[in-house]
Amino acid sequence: MVRSLFSGADVHRSVPGRFRPGLLFFLLCLLAAAANADEVFSRVSVLGSSEPVPVYDMVNGWDADFRRGSLAYADARIQSGFRLSGWTLAYERRGYYYLGFSRDTSEFYNNLEQGIDTGRRYELDLKVQTLSLRGVRLSYALNYRSFTIEPVLTYYRVGDYQIGSLNGFSEGSGDLEVSALLDYYFNEDKLLEYPANAGDGRGISAGLSLSYQQGDWLMSASLQDLFNRFELPNAAFTRGCINLAGSAQAVCSGNGAASGVSGDADYRTDIPLTFEAQAQYTPWNLKLDYYRHENYQRLSARKSWPTMIGTLGVSAHSTRQFGLHWSSRWHELSVAADDADWQAARELQLQLGLRFPW
Amino acid sequence: MTQFSRTTALCLLSVFFFLAGCSGNSTSTTREVQTLSSVNGYVGAANVRNATLYAVPVNVQGQPSTEINDLNQEVYLGSVSSSTTVGFYRADVKKEYIGGAMVFIAESKANNSSVRVCELVNGCGSDWAYRQVKAVPRVTDEGSTVAKEGSFRLLGAVGNIQNNTRVNVNWITHLAADHAYTSYIDEVGDQEAAPETPRDGMFTPFTIERGNIWLSRQFGLSDVVSIRPIAPSEMHNDPGLSAVLRQEGILYGLLLAAGQKLALDAGQNEVEWLRDVVAQQRQLGGQLYLNNSSGFSLAVLYQAALDIAEEHQQLLQSSSLAIPPQLPAVIEILRNKANQLSAVAEGTRSDIRVDAEEINNWVDRFENAKEFLKDTNERLLNYKGDDPKTCGVYAGEDCVNSFIDPAYVAKTIGYYDGLNALYRQVGPGLDQALRELRDHSLDFIRCLNDDVSCVSSRYNAVNKTYQSGTLTLTLSPVELGLDNEDEGIFNAFDFLITGTQTVNYTDGNGAAATLPILYKQPKSTNSSGEEIIQKARLRIVYDEQSALPPLTAVDDGLGNLAVGHVQPLGFDVEWPDVEITLPDSQALNLYFATKLIGVRDVLDEASLYHYNVTEVSLSLLMRGRVLGSITEDGKSVELRNLAQLGLSAKPNNAANFYSETVWPELDDLLTIRPGYDADVIQPGLFSYKLQEEAQVVLKVTNNVPQYVTADYFQVTIASLGIERFEVFTDTTGTFLRKCSVPLSGDDASRELGKVCSATQSVAADFDLLDDLIYGEDDYLGLFSIPGRGGYRPDFPEKASFVNEATVDGKLVAVFSQGLDQLNMRAAHELVNEQVQDDTTTVSRAPMAIVDMKLTSPSKDNWEVAIAAGYDYDYLVDVLPTGKRAQSIYLSYLVRELPGEGDQRFFTELGGLIIFRGGVKLFTDDPEGESLGMTLASRVDYELGGTELPCGVVNRDDAIREGNCNAVAYLTFRNSLVAVIREERPGVYVARFSDGTFFILGG
């Protein structure tokens, strides 16, 4: 039953005899404090990391310097919205890519790409999760003295997605023997060409930002995707067994080079938590930052200087990145990479934000 | 296999590495995928247009499912569609109906807009001309729109509907559906084993499949439900089918059209006629009369189909439309069948039987198909047993099966290595033999003409012979049977070759050798039953008659002819049996025949003959030494290794293409004469005359001409000939015919001398101007000019047309020499030898054969069919078959389709039949069973883009983005069970209807 939101009787029933003027005053204070930061904004943020090959090659083909690695991760977002009286409402497009794999898997794949035949055995273990999302993000900043708490809720529509795992091994030289189990969900078959008829998925993600200022110190932490769930109706799937050249110790049995079943089924997935903590000493304009997402983690230090054209800064990262930063009341620009040639960089970060405060 | 494995592995893994896909770049796109939720088929002989087509599931009571609609009317459940102008329909099928029995019902529409095309050249009645349409019968009560009995209604049914299944609906499938729906009861009480009284029953998957197999067997077709019928009136159009399917489609269409003719002959409409045939089938318990003087019989049906086929053959011959290459073979089948049926006793019934086991095998066809495909895939990957773990060579449980016994492969390779070594030894001798024979022939002609360079010691002027050693050439004038031949002078002369040609030469090892070549004289019987002796000969044909062959020369390559010499019109070589004795008691027998025709540019008086091959045949039989004897059927038989090679080729347009070179070369094929591209204008090539109400000769009976009033349109082609198109009306209708009128003589003699070809019925209001010259149907066609191509008169706009004028000719179709057919067959029979102690025993090794057929009328239009079989007992059509046979039949057809401007569209059609005897996968029979699997593929693409390659032929060329549709349909026991596509380059995936898949390869 739908009940009127303006039903006075219900309002009274919901807080019978428990009206507290102190709480209302507290909330009004929060609103007043937040009102100072009203703005319209648009920002792009990209964080990319690829251990085996540069990020550019990860996308375009493994041609460059290879290192045995176990991770490739990217989280790219474009947000446009406004902040008003502590409320933030934004439209967000997000691309999330997380690939976890064994070092053997990366070497095996590189060998395939480069036509290298080592003849040794490789243990294959690969997990993939890529989601293309668009949605509406809503948050509200609650200030209490030196504390700020900002819960964030984002409703997503899921566009393209590729989720799967592969486990098995490869061995032999010449006639390559590969035996692996495949479990793959998708809206468009990048592996073969199963005609997927998946509809748009939907999901929700809740996060929390905390900050605390004590004297010259500003401490903050954010928990992104603290709780999230994505429903993928009618997702196409392929579950199968790959057996190239008929290995004697196959992890599964099937027909031909690979066999299995494809079909459509509802699927549910979620994204791991992203945790970020910062500590800033304002007199020195010095900031320390810790970022973690599953197996990806990074420690950063950043020093800034106020200038005539805004705040300029440099940063150093545990991932061997070096960053440059420039911000003002109207914008924020940050670039960090582990190589001056962006096509050769394995660690990349880009942030560009424009805001129009009033 | 390594390459394949790596390709597959890359594809399987690369998706996970950031969408790189298999293309190695980020632009990999998903190609269009066919949705699998519909069925299709043809209504009638692909000649029923705009008919309503219901696709109705069968309910649990075995009846077509119905429901009550909003108007409280009972309507069929399922989907409704309509047949197109080519009699084709496509109907949606809900997923829930997949796998179940389904009935397809074609009915007429309420507004009488459902029509059928007349397929009879002489018309289907006074008001229904050839190729014209007429509404199908529809009977209603006055004031009602509901069709009742007597209306057009045809059924087709399948026991297990699958995605993309083809289900035809015509009178033959109607008989099948009726057979499926009919139960027989014992009304008398003494017919327990075979009840005879027919009653309406119910559809079940079992009865439906039995009915379809039953009627397929009754009419000698592979599957009445899925084979595409080709309407006789459309048989000249390329249907985009492989030769095998096109031939069966033409046959099917003719049998269906024969129903139209029989109904016409019986004075019935087709509904009434079919009602009687159904009644006969029911009365005879599912059988039909083979021969019956009253009513329907298969004899009259096949005779009617034969008549229709022959009428169309004549019609196409007289027009510029292409005669399907398969039509003569179809006519032969129909003629043999008609003769055979008419010879059986009156009242004889057919004796069709379908075992329950045959139908039960359909039940598990998914599982069976997957198992069979898996097993076949394994065997094809290890075709010759190259894998060290091949069963038979390797004893482990994980042994891999091969398609052919590896021991046999080794034996065959050894045998052919031996033949190669032998050829290297005697090859130079054969080359020298041909050179000597040519020199002897030329010298003989010089001697006949008393030329001073003649080697007179070899020439016998009295007997007109020429002798070199024991080889003798004899002159023999030939009467060709031409109308204008005079006594004692001839157009052709044979140089007969007899005796033994002894060739002394240096063999491939540098040693002196001698090669005896015996020109044998085999005996045979001619059509009159007389015994004749065949001699090897070279025949030279001339334009002019003479008593002796004149001094002969050909174009010297520069357009000059030696003074005093005559250029021959053609050459004809036939060596019926030449035996060459080879070392080690081996012998080679060969048959060789070829014909060359001279072609000149008829519009260029200075041009000399250049020669094209019109046909060539070669047969070789290699006999090894006797290896031992065995006893067969009580007789001792000597065994030796035998290898046979047969080769025949028939180029097309040989009499029209003017080559740049004097003698035929391979480069002459699939090319056009330089400077004669399409759209070249030949000024004043044609003059025409349109005449109304002229008295023309209709026919001449006993030298008495019979005249008729006709309108005609006459086209004179330079000084080459006159073509006339006459339209006249008699009591049976209006007709159009094409006549060749002599160039010379007065009007009366030319009228009497004209030769007219097949007559076709046309609409009563057929107009020469509106229909013949400016109509949509190309009645005039092209006018062929030898040496050039097909020209079309460049008529003025219709408003400027005058009844008599001279017009230019535009070259529309340039002559190019292609291959009508190239046939090659190689077979061998080898002998197994087992040595034990000092005794050698012999036995026959399995037979093997490779048969290839190639047709390539033009460069981008060709078809190849290859059949390869091992351990076969006999050939069924082209497919080697037998209890243990392992055979493959592969056909591939490529067609370039017309596009606008520079656009080039291609269609590639593939067919693969795998036949395996002795398969024990699904039977306990120790001898196994014979199973066949069919793959049909279709690829459509446009050249000239940046995307991935597509198809097989233009593999190196990129295609336009997103325009590659390639799919193969796997049928197992005639049912579609899987779709195979190249989902990534080099990765072929078989997807079954139940969602399972596997990647071919290993």
Side-chain angles (χ1 to χ4, degrees):
Chain A
M1 187 177 115
V2 178
R3 189 174 292 153
S4 169
L5 292 173
F6 300 100
S7 163
D10 283 348
V11 171
H12 283 292
R13 209 168 17 246
S14 64
V15 283
R18 295 173 59 196
F19 180 71
R20 293 177 182 175
L23 180 57
L24 177 61
F25 175 75
F26 171 71
L27 290 172
L28 288 172
C29 288
L30 288 180
L31 280 171
N36 292 331
D38 291 350
E39 64 182 19
V40 176
F41 64 87
S42 184
R43 71 171 73 100
V44 177
S45 65
V46 179
L47 177 67
S49 171
S50 168
E51 290 181 1
V53 290
V55 174
Y56 178 84
D57 290 319
M58 195 72 185
V59 177
N60 293 289
W62 292 24
D63 294 329
D65 177 34
F66 166 75
R67 296 176 202 157
R68 279 164 58 87
S70 62
L71 179 73
Y73 164 60
D75 197 343
R77 303 181 196 220
I78 301 174
Q79 294 174 343
S80 297
F82 62 88
R83 187 186 292 266
L84 180 65
S85 300
W87 291 93
T88 301
L89 184 64
Y91 172 75
E92 178 177 298
R93 291 187 71 93
R94 181 180 180 188
Y96 172 80
Y97 307 86
Y98 188 86
L99 290 85
F101 38 85
S102 65
R103 294 179 187 279
D104 264 9
T105 304
S106 63
E107 182 178 337
F108 171 74
Y109 181 74
N110 182 64
N111 290 348
L112 282 178
E113 280 271 59
Q114 308 302 326
I116 300 168
D117 188 354
T118 63
R120 60 164 282 226
R121 179 183 172 99
Y122 293 96
E123 300 298 331
L124 305 180
D125 181 10
L126 182 60
K127 286 184 178 55
V128 179
Q129 192 175 27
T130 75
L131 296 165
S132 173
L133 309 167
R134 62 183 190 280
V136 178
R137 177 188 176 94
L138 179 68
S139 67
Y140 182 71
L142 293 160
N143 296 325
Y144 177 67
R145 296 182 181 172
S146 301
F147 286 97
T148 301
I149 303 172
E150 186 173 9
V152 182
L153 188 66
T154 310
Y155 173 77
Y156 286 117
R157 301 283 287 182
V158 184
D160 296 327
Y161 54 89
Q162 307 281 322
I163 301 162
S165 66
L166 187 79
N167 292 285
F169 69 89
S170 161
E171 64 184 359
S173 60
D175 284 356
L176 192 63
E177 291 182 11
V178 178
S179 182
L181 276 167
L182 170 73
D183 192 4
Y184 175 40
Y185 289 84
F186 51 90
N187 74 316
E188 181 186 343
D189 196 347
K190 299 282 186 181
L191 182 62
L192 296 170
E193 285 193 352
Y194 177 74
N197 295 306
D200 272 3
R202 58 187 181 276
I204 193 163
S205 173
L208 190 65
S209 293
L210 304 165
S211 68
Y212 170 71
Q213 184 153 19
Q214 177 63 52
D216 295 333
W217 287 93
L218 176 63
M219 317 290 283
S220 65
S222 75
L223 300 159
Q224 295 180 54
D225 304 314
L226 178 62
F227 167 80
N228 67 87
R229 174 168 289 181
F230 296 91
E231 305 280 351
L232 306 173
N234 221 23
F237 68 85
T238 293
R239 287 192 287 269
C241 170
I242 301 165
N243 265 325
L244 300 181
S247 172
Q249 299 144 4
V251 298
C252 54
S253 63
N255 302 332
S259 61
V261 62
S262 292
D264 304 327
D266 293 343
Y267 189 67
R268 180 184 295 169
T269 188
D270 54 45
I271 293 175
L273 166 73
T274 301
F275 172 73
E276 187 171 15
Q278 292 180 335
Q280 186 173 352
Y281 186 62
T282 49
W284 293 356
N285 284 318
L286 185 67
K287 185 162 73 176
L288 295 175
D289 181 287
Y290 175 73
Y291 183 99
R292 175 163 193 148
H293 179 86
E294 279 286 269
N295 295 333
Y296 177 78
Q297 54 184 335
R298 186 179 74 167
L299 188 62
S300 309
R302 173 170 158 180
K303 168 67 179 163
S304 302
W305 295 272
T307 69
M308 296 287 287
I309 58 168
T311 303
L312 298 177
V314 295
S315 63
H317 307 258
S318 62
T319 49
R320 292 187 284 186
Q321 282 170 285
F322 178 75
L324 297 172
H325 310 270
W326 177 31
S327 61
S328 70
R329 190 180 173 213
W330 305 93
H331 85 288
E332 180 183 4
L333 174 64
S334 294
V335 179
D338 63 346
D339 196 301
D341 177 3
W342 71 274
Q343 289 192 359
R346 291 163 197 270
E347 303 288 341
L348 273 175
Q349 184 176 9
L350 170 68
Q351 282 187 321
L352 172 62
L354 298 173
R355 51 178 172 259
F356 302 95
W358 69 80
Chain B
M1 193 163 75
T2 305
Q3 180 58 42
F4 181 82
S5 296
R6 288 185 179 281
T7 304
T8 311
L10 262 171
C11 284
L12 293 172
L13 290 173
S14 58
V15 60
F16 296 113
F17 287 94
F18 260 48
L19 316 179
C22 292
S23 59
N25 58 51
S26 60
T27 59
S28 176
T29 57
T30 297
R31 286 175 282 177
E32 184 183 335
V33 176
Q34 284 188 269
T35 54
L36 305 175
S37 59
S38 67
V39 295
N40 62 72
Y42 289 86
V43 185
N47 67 341
V48 177
R49 303 172 181 174
N50 202 32
T52 301
L53 199 291
Y54 300 96
V56 189
V58 174
N59 63 21
V60 290
Q61 288 85 29
Q63 310 300 321
S65 302
T66 58
E67 61 182 354
I68 304 298
N69 69 4
D70 295 343
L71 302 174
N72 210 27
Q73 296 168 325
E74 188 177 16
V75 295
Y76 290 121
L77 206 61
S79 66
V80 185
S81 64
S82 188
S83 61
T84 67
T85 53
V86 290
F88 182 75
Y89 78 88
R90 187 182 297 279
D92 294 333
V93 174
K94 287 183 182 175
K95 277 190 175 177
E96 64 200 74
Y97 299 146
I98 296 292
M102 195 165 243
V103 178
F104 296 79
I105 304 166
E107 290 188 348
S108 61
K109 290 190 174 165
N111 56 2
N112 280 334
S113 60
S114 305
V115 296
R116 190 196 299 264
V117 178
C118 173
E119 301 294 334
L120 310 180
V121 173
N122 294 317
C124 297
S126 56
D127 60 342
W128 192 7
Y130 175 57
R131 290 176 68 89
Q132 303 301 309
V133 297
K134 184 179 181 182
V136 295
R138 184 176 177 86
V139 182
T140 57
D141 289 328
E142 193 170 336
S144 169
T145 58
V146 178
K148 48 188 255 188
E149 189 160 342
S151 299
F152 168 83
R153 188 169 188 266
L154 293 174
L155 267 66
V158 285
N160 185 324
I161 195 73
Q162 292 296 327
N163 301 316
N164 271 337
T165 303
R166 169 160 297 164
V167 186
N168 297 318
V169 182
N170 54 52
W171 69 260
I172 292 180
T173 64
H174 188 89
L175 289 180
D178 188 79
H179 186 58
Y181 193 62
T182 305
S183 301
Y184 293 90
I185 60 171
D186 178 6
E187 272 194 334
V188 183
D190 60 353
Q191 302 167 345
E192 285 180 11
E196 292 176 357
T197 306
R199 287 285 183 273
D200 283 351
M202 56 190 279
F203 287 114
T204 69
F206 179 90
T207 61
I208 290 172
E209 298 305 349
R210 184 186 61 183
N212 290 335
I213 296 172
W214 190 285
L215 268 294
S216 298
R217 202 162 285 178
Q218 182 76 277
F219 290 97
L221 297 165
S222 61
D223 185 12
V224 294
V225 170
S226 64
I227 286 294
R228 175 179 167 183
I230 296 173
S233 61
E234 298 296 330
M235 70 166 75
H236 56 278
N237 291 324
D238 184 350
L241 296 173
S242 65
V244 172
L245 292 177
R246 190 176 183 186
Q247 177 169 320
E248 192 165 20
I250 292 172
L251 175 63
Y252 194 5
L254 287 165
L255 289 171
L256 293 171
Q260 204 169 37
K261 182 168 174 29
L262 293 183
L264 177 68
D265 293 346
Q268 296 174 304
N269 67 35
E270 288 175 60
V271 174
E272 295 162 345
W273 173 81
L274 180 56
R275 182 196 59 209
D276 292 349
V277 179
V278 168
Q280 183 185 108
Q281 180 177 265
R282 284 190 168 204
Q283 183 198 345
L284 301 183
Q287 307 298 340
L288 295 168
Y289 283 117
L290 296 181
N291 193 7
N292 187 27
S293 55
S294 61
F296 176 81
S297 73
L298 292 176
V300 295
L301 179 80
Y302 276 88
Q303 185 59 49
L306 176 62
D307 292 344
I308 297 169
E310 289 179 331
E311 285 163 6
H312 277 84
Q313 189 180 37
Q314 290 168 17
L315 179 67
L316 295 176
Q317 276 167 347
S318 67
S319 70
S320 61
L321 301 175
I323 298 175
Q326 297 79 15
L327 183 58
V330 172
I331 288 175
E332 197 59 31
I333 292 169
L334 290 171
R335 182 177 290 117
N336 290 340
K337 192 76 180 174
N339 291 341
Q340 179 193 336
L341 289 167
S342 61
V344 302
E346 282 266 325
T348 308
R349 304 172 178 189
S350 60
D351 186 22
I352 303 298
R353 292 280 177 270
V354 176
D355 295 337
E357 193 181 336
E358 287 181 69
I359 303 149
N360 285 333
N361 281 338
W362 286 72
V363 176
D364 297 323
R365 63 188 175 286
F366 269 150
E367 287 308 313
N368 290 358
K370 275 187 268 189
E371 188 69 17
F372 184 67
L373 188 59
K374 174 189 165 191
D375 186 66
T376 302
N377 181 48
E378 178 181 303
R379 289 174 186 272
L380 289 176
L381 285 171
N382 188 29
Y383 190 80
K384 296 186 297 182
D386 294 331
D387 193 313
K389 288 185 175 178
T390 298
C391 300
V393 178
Y394 170 76
E397 284 188 1
D398 57 339
C399 73
V400 183
N401 287 305
S402 64
F403 207 76
I404 299 176
D405 177 7
Y408 184 80
V409 172
K411 184 178 185 63
T412 304
I413 290 172
Y415 175 66
Y416 280 97
D417 284 348
L419 287 187
N420 275 336
L422 181 64
Y423 179 75
R424 279 195 299 275
Q425 194 177 346
V426 303
L430 295 173
D431 291 343
Q432 185 167 324
L434 284 174
R435 282 197 301 273
E436 288 180 2
L437 201 58
R438 181 195 61 194
D439 292 344
H440 292 331
S441 303
L442 291 173
D443 196 39
F444 190 15
I445 291 177
R446 285 195 294 273
C447 296
L448 287 166
N449 286 278
D450 299 327
D451 192 273
V452 290
S453 59
C454 160
V455 182
S456 56
S457 60
R458 294 176 179 168
Y459 175 56
N460 183 327
V462 177
N463 296 329
K464 299 278 189 297
T465 59
Y466 184 95
Q467 189 143 9
S468 172
T470 56
L471 177 76
T472 304
L473 303 182
T474 306
L475 178 69
S476 173
V478 181
E479 289 182 354
L480 296 176
L482 304 175
D483 292 341
N484 56 351
E485 278 183 327
D486 296 321
E487 193 165 342
I489 52 177
F490 307 92
N491 284 88
F493 300 89
D494 278 353
F495 295 88
L496 304 176
I497 307 164
T498 53
T500 300
Q501 183 181 8
T502 305
V503 182
N504 296 309
Y505 71 105
T506 304
D507 71 15
N509 300 321
T514 300
L515 196 66
I517 301 174
L518 171 61
Y519 293 89
K520 298 174 78 172
Q521 300 176 39
K523 293 176 182 175
S524 64
T525 308
N526 65 12
S527 56
S528 308
E530 299 163 342
E531 187 178 88
I532 54 170
I533 296 174
Q534 292 179 279
K535 293 179 180 175
R537 64 167 162 83
L538 163 66
R539 176 175 297 172
I540 304 180
V541 184
Y542 300 90
D543 283 318
E544 303 295 330
Q545 297 179 349
S546 59
L548 287 173
L551 275 177
T552 303
V554 297
D555 185 345
D556 64 357
L558 301 171
N560 305 312
L561 187 69
V563 177
H565 286 65
V566 172
Q567 55 176 347
L569 173 63
F571 300 88
D572 183 348
V573 178
E574 185 173 7
W575 296 349
D577 190 358
V578 177
E579 185 172 296
I580 303 169
T581 304
L582 301 170
D584 195 23
S585 304
Q586 300 179 85
L588 173 70
N589 284 70
L590 73 87
Y591 165 86
F592 176 66
T594 186
K595 289 179 180 171
L596 277 66
I597 188 168
V599 180
R600 53 187 291 270
D601 185 342
V602 294
L603 298 180
D604 175 8
E605 292 194 354
S607 75
L608 297 175
Y609 281 132
H610 288 182
Y611 298 92
N612 296 326
V613 174
T614 59
E615 55 185 83
V616 61
S617 300
L618 173 68
S619 175
L620 297 173
L621 174 64
M622 181 72 199
R623 292 177 297 150
R625 64 183 173 82
V626 175
L627 298 171
S629 300
I630 59 170
T631 302
E632 282 182 343
D633 298 331
K635 294 178 184 173
S636 178
V637 180
E638 288 183 337
L639 292 187
R640 59 175 96 205
N641 290 329
L642 294 171
Q644 192 169 17
L645 172 73
L647 179 74
S648 66
K650 196 172 181 185
N652 62 11
N653 272 334
N656 289 317
F657 175 73
Y658 189 67
S659 167
E660 288 293 288
T661 55
V662 180
W663 297 108
E665 294 182 1
L666 276 179
D667 289 347
D668 292 341
L669 294 174
L670 308 177
T671 187
I672 62 168
R673 186 180 169 195
Y676 291 88
D677 300 320
D679 295 340
V680 168
I681 299 290
Q682 184 70 27
L685 182 62
F686 299 104
S687 57
Y688 68 81
K689 177 183 178 183
L690 191 146
Q691 179 72 48
E692 292 181 339
E693 296 187 354
Q695 288 296 303
V696 300
V697 172
L698 178 64
K699 58 185 174 183
V700 178
T701 310
N702 297 327
N703 291 326
V704 178
Q706 182 184 337
Y707 289 88
V708 68
T709 302
D711 298 340
Y712 70 75
F713 180 68
Q714 183 170 293
V715 180
T716 304
I717 311 125
S719 57
L720 300 173
I722 299 172
E723 298 287 348
R724 183 193 285 175
F725 299 84
E726 298 176 345
V727 178
F728 57 90
T729 302
D730 66 11
T731 54
T732 58
T734 303
F735 298 92
L736 169 71
R737 69 176 182 178
K738 184 177 177 183
C739 304
S740 293
V741 181
L743 271 170
S744 57
D746 57 25
D747 285 352
S749 65
R750 287 163 60 191
E751 185 62 40
L752 286 170
K754 72 182 180 186
V755 178
C756 296
S757 52
T759 304
Q760 62 176 302
S761 72
V762 291
D765 58 350
F766 188 86
D767 183 77
L768 286 177
L769 198 62
D770 292 335
D771 296 316
L772 184 78
I773 302 171
Y774 293 103
E776 288 182 359
D777 290 332
D778 188 16
Y779 288 104
L780 283 181
L782 301 179
F783 296 87
S784 177
I785 309 289
R788 297 282 186 89
Y791 283 82
R792 191 184 293 285
D794 199 6
F795 291 119
E797 291 294 317
K798 190 175 167 185
S800 312
F801 189 86
V802 293
N803 283 0
E804 204 163 344
T806 297
V807 293
D808 297 342
K810 181 189 274 187
L811 186 54
V812 176
V814 187
F815 284 136
S816 167
Q817 204 177 198
L819 274 173
D820 256 355
Q821 199 155 72
L822 170 68
N823 299 320
M824 194 276 288
R825 174 174 290 183
H828 62 243
E829 297 176 34
L830 303 184
V831 179
N832 283 328
E833 295 174 274
Q834 290 91 34
V835 180
Q836 195 166 21
D837 300 329
D838 294 335
T839 309
T840 300
T841 55
V842 294
S843 60
R844 291 187 187 277
M847 294 191 294
I849 189 169
V850 175
D851 190 287
M852 186 192 82
K853 286 185 170 61
L854 170 70
T855 59
S856 181
S858 64
K859 184 184 172 190
D860 292 312
N861 294 280
W862 53 264
E863 179 177 9
V864 64
I866 299 171
Y870 158 71
D871 205 0
Y872 68 101
D873 299 321
Y874 47 88
L875 295 172
V876 174
D877 193 5
V878 291
L879 195 66
T881 313
K883 281 188 175 180
R884 303 160 308 282
Q886 308 287 304
S887 63
I888 289 176
Y889 173 77
L890 171 70
S891 68
Y892 210 80
L893 176 144
V894 177
R895 288 277 181 274
E896 181 177 1
L897 307 173
E900 290 182 8
D902 294 333
Q903 287 183 312
R904 300 187 72 201
F905 295 98
F906 279 83
T907 288
E908 297 178 18
L909 298 173
L912 174 66
I913 301 170
I914 296 174
F915 178 90
R916 292 177 48 201
V919 178
K920 298 173 186 173
L921 292 170
F922 321 118
T923 178
D924 297 329
D925 187 337
E927 292 196 346
E929 62 177 329
S930 298
L931 289 180
M933 184 176 78
T934 307
L935 261 173
S937 70
R938 184 178 188 108
V939 182
D940 298 299
Y941 57 92
E942 180 189 354
L943 280 188
T946 56
E947 259 298 332
L948 301 172
C950 188
V952 172
V953 178
N954 295 297
R955 196 75 188 171
D956 297 333
D957 297 300
I959 63 150
R960 285 215 193 280
E961 188 172 352
N963 196 25
C964 180
N965 292 316
V967 64
Y969 300 98
L970 173 68
T971 54
F972 183 70
R973 290 171 173 159
N974 287 330
S975 177
L976 179 80
V977 292
V979 174
I980 298 177
R981 300 177 67 240
E982 185 184 9
E983 299 197 0
R984 296 289 169 193
V987 180
Y988 294 86
V989 183
R991 290 193 183 276
F992 293 83
S993 300
D994 61 356
T996 55
F997 72 92
F998 76 86
I999 297 177
L1000 299 175

